[in-house]
Amino acid sequence: MQLKLIQHSRRCWRLPLNALQLLLNRNTFWAKQRSLKELRKMLRGSQAVVSLWEKNLLVGFGRASSDGIYRAVLWDVVIDEEHQGQGNGKLLLEALLGHPALLGVERVYLMTTNQAGFYEQLGFDEIKSQTLMGKLMIRDL
C-alpha cells in the first residue's frame, strides 16, 4: 500500500485531531488520553509537523519545536504498530528533519525511552555529558 507523507505548514492545527488522538492512544504510553483541546494547542505551538497517511488513516506523526537557529527538539514521533519495520519511521524522521522550520538548526535533540537503537541508526548519539531534567508543572487549559 502506498503511503502519503505530508510536511505541514503553520496551519498544521487543521490536522484531523480525532485521527491524531487515535494514533497516539493506540501506539504510545506517554501521549494517551490527550484531549482534542490539548492536541490543538500542542499543534499550534509546534514549528514543524509531519504526518504519514495510508488512504484516510493516519499511520505516522512527528513534530518539533525550535528557536530556528541553535536548537530543535523532536516530540511525539509515532508510527502505527502495523506500519513499523517497513522504513516508515525513517521516512517520517527524515521529512521532519528536512522541514523548513528545522533547516539550518545547529543541534536537534529528542528523548526516547526504548527506541535509542532506531535513532542511532539515523545519526543520533546519546549525550552523556548532559542530564535530562524535568519539573512537573500544574497547568491550566
Side-chain angles (χ1 to χ4, degrees), residues 29-30 110-116 119:
F29 63 88
W30 72 90
L110 62 85
M111 292 172 273
T112 185
T113 304
N114 52 20
Q115 294 296 326
Y119 291 107

Short mmCIF file of all heavy atoms in Angstrom, two decimals, residues 29-30 110-116 119:
data_model
loop_
_atom_site.label_atom_id
_atom_site.label_comp_id
_atom_site.label_asym_id
_atom_site.label_seq_id
_atom_site.Cartn_x
_atom_site.Cartn_y
_atom_site.Cartn_z
N PHE A 29 2.60 5.22 25.19
CA PHE A 29 2.25 5.21 26.60
C PHE A 29 2.32 6.62 27.16
O PHE A 29 1.69 6.93 28.15
CB PHE A 29 3.16 4.26 27.40
CG PHE A 29 4.61 4.67 27.39
CD1 PHE A 29 5.10 5.54 28.36
CD2 PHE A 29 5.48 4.19 26.43
CE1 PHE A 29 6.43 5.93 28.35
CE2 PHE A 29 6.81 4.57 26.41
CZ PHE A 29 7.28 5.44 27.38
N TRP A 30 3.09 7.48 26.52
CA TRP A 30 3.30 8.83 27.05
C TRP A 30 2.25 9.84 26.58
O TRP A 30 2.13 10.92 27.15
CB TRP A 30 4.70 9.34 26.67
CG TRP A 30 4.83 9.68 25.22
CD1 TRP A 30 4.58 10.90 24.64
CD2 TRP A 30 5.22 8.82 24.16
NE1 TRP A 30 4.79 10.83 23.28
CE2 TRP A 30 5.20 9.57 22.96
CE3 TRP A 30 5.62 7.48 24.10
CZ2 TRP A 30 5.53 9.03 21.73
CZ3 TRP A 30 5.95 6.97 22.86
CH2 TRP A 30 5.90 7.72 21.71
N LEU A 110 16.21 14.88 21.13
CA LEU A 110 14.98 14.12 21.33
C LEU A 110 15.14 13.30 22.59
O LEU A 110 16.25 13.11 23.08
CB LEU A 110 14.66 13.21 20.13
CG LEU A 110 15.65 12.11 19.76
CD1 LEU A 110 15.40 10.84 20.57
CD2 LEU A 110 15.53 11.80 18.29
N MET A 111 14.02 12.86 23.12
CA MET A 111 14.02 11.96 24.27
C MET A 111 13.35 10.67 23.83
O MET A 111 12.35 10.71 23.12
CB MET A 111 13.23 12.58 25.42
CG MET A 111 13.91 13.79 26.01
SD MET A 111 12.85 14.64 27.19
CE MET A 111 11.96 15.73 26.09
N THR A 112 13.92 9.56 24.25
CA THR A 112 13.31 8.27 23.94
C THR A 112 13.47 7.34 25.13
O THR A 112 14.48 7.40 25.83
CB THR A 112 13.91 7.65 22.66
OG1 THR A 112 13.21 6.46 22.35
CG2 THR A 112 15.40 7.36 22.80
N THR A 113 12.48 6.51 25.33
CA THR A 113 12.53 5.55 26.42
C THR A 113 13.09 4.21 25.96
O THR A 113 13.91 3.61 26.62
CB THR A 113 11.11 5.34 27.00
OG1 THR A 113 10.61 6.61 27.40
CG2 THR A 113 11.12 4.40 28.18
N ASN A 114 12.66 3.76 24.76
CA ASN A 114 13.08 2.43 24.32
C ASN A 114 13.39 2.33 22.83
O ASN A 114 13.39 1.24 22.29
CB ASN A 114 12.02 1.39 24.72
CG ASN A 114 10.64 1.80 24.26
OD1 ASN A 114 10.49 2.62 23.36
ND2 ASN A 114 9.62 1.23 24.87
N GLN A 115 13.68 3.44 22.19
CA GLN A 115 13.97 3.39 20.75
C GLN A 115 15.34 3.98 20.41
O GLN A 115 15.57 4.43 19.29
CB GLN A 115 12.88 4.13 19.96
CG GLN A 115 11.53 3.46 20.03
CD GLN A 115 11.52 2.09 19.38
OE1 GLN A 115 12.21 1.85 18.40
NE2 GLN A 115 10.74 1.19 19.92
N ALA A 116 16.27 3.99 21.35
CA ALA A 116 17.59 4.59 21.13
C ALA A 116 18.28 3.96 19.91
O ALA A 116 18.89 4.67 19.11
CB ALA A 116 18.45 4.46 22.37
N TYR A 119 17.11 5.50 16.62
CA TYR A 119 17.63 6.85 16.39
C TYR A 119 19.14 6.85 16.13
O TYR A 119 19.62 7.66 15.33
CB TYR A 119 17.27 7.77 17.56
CG TYR A 119 15.79 8.05 17.62
CD1 TYR A 119 14.99 7.47 18.59
CD2 TYR A 119 15.18 8.89 16.68
CE1 TYR A 119 13.62 7.73 18.63
CE2 TYR A 119 13.82 9.13 16.71
CZ TYR A 119 13.05 8.55 17.69
OH TYR A 119 11.70 8.80 17.72
#
